[in-house]
Amino acid sequence: MSARSKARKRALDVLYGADVRQIPLNQALATEAERAASEPQRESSWLYAREIVDGVIDNLDEIDEQIETYSQGWTLARMPLVDRAILRIGVWELLFNDEIPEGVAISEAVESATVLSTDDSAGFINGLLAKIAQSNTK
């Protein structure tokens, strides 16, 4: 697994954990930052994970608006928490990180959904991120 894939997983853990515990993202990020400081061997994945979570925090309203606009009848509240976290990461990479090709952002999100979510989630996430990518060129 590449360092960026590991970082996406760590970012997913932060976003999902904040939703499950119903705590602010900033608080979840601070807790993970403390943990990362005590685990220097994981620093390479932590730097990009932090960039993702900071990016989601900074752009949450726009990210969520994109998800709800293109999800056709699915509100954020109705989505499984893990799908919502995966989508937030994917949308951030599509719209706010020019270093990640669109295909990679979508593929990584679909892979996460395949491993971590429901049987229907990977297809839903793939279609939704593809629509967002098509509608918003970098």
Side-chain angles (χ1 to χ4, degrees):
M1 181 182 288
S2 75
R4 284 207 170 160
S5 292
K6 289 178 186 175
R8 286 181 188 93
K9 173 70 172 83
R10 287 183 81 174
L12 178 62
D13 290 345
V14 173
L15 296 175
Y16 176 76
D19 264 351
V20 168
R21 293 185 309 234
Q22 298 180 340
I23 61 172
L25 281 173
N26 285 327
Q27 183 181 342
L29 181 60
T31 300
E32 184 63 18
E34 288 177 25
R35 182 174 162 221
S38 68
E39 299 174 358
Q41 70 278 12
R42 297 175 63 192
E43 183 178 357
S44 64
S45 66
W46 169 243
L47 296 176
Y48 188 56
R50 180 170 193 124
E51 183 180 346
I52 292 169
V53 177
D54 279 335
V56 170
I57 290 169
D58 292 346
N59 300 285
L60 187 61
D61 290 341
E62 186 173 346
I63 289 168
D64 286 354
E65 180 182 322
Q66 289 287 312
I67 293 168
E68 287 203 331
T69 296
Y70 293 99
S71 62
Q72 296 180 347
W74 281 83
T75 63
L76 284 166
R78 203 174 145 211
M79 293 176 192
L81 297 180
V82 71
D83 291 3
R84 186 166 57 207
I86 291 168
L87 283 166
R88 285 175 171 162
I89 292 168
V91 172
W92 177 79
E93 285 190 322
L94 288 172
L95 300 183
F96 300 101
N97 188 345
D98 292 332
E99 294 177 16
I100 305 297
E102 290 176 354
V104 172
I106 294 169
S107 176
E108 289 279 341
V110 169
E111 176 64 22
S112 292
T114 300
V115 172
L116 300 170
S117 196
T118 70
D119 290 341
D120 296 330
S121 292
F124 173 73
I125 287 171
N126 184 56
L128 180 54
L129 290 178
K131 286 180 197 173
I132 292 170
Q134 187 175 25
S135 298
N136 297 278
T137 56
K138 286 186 180 179

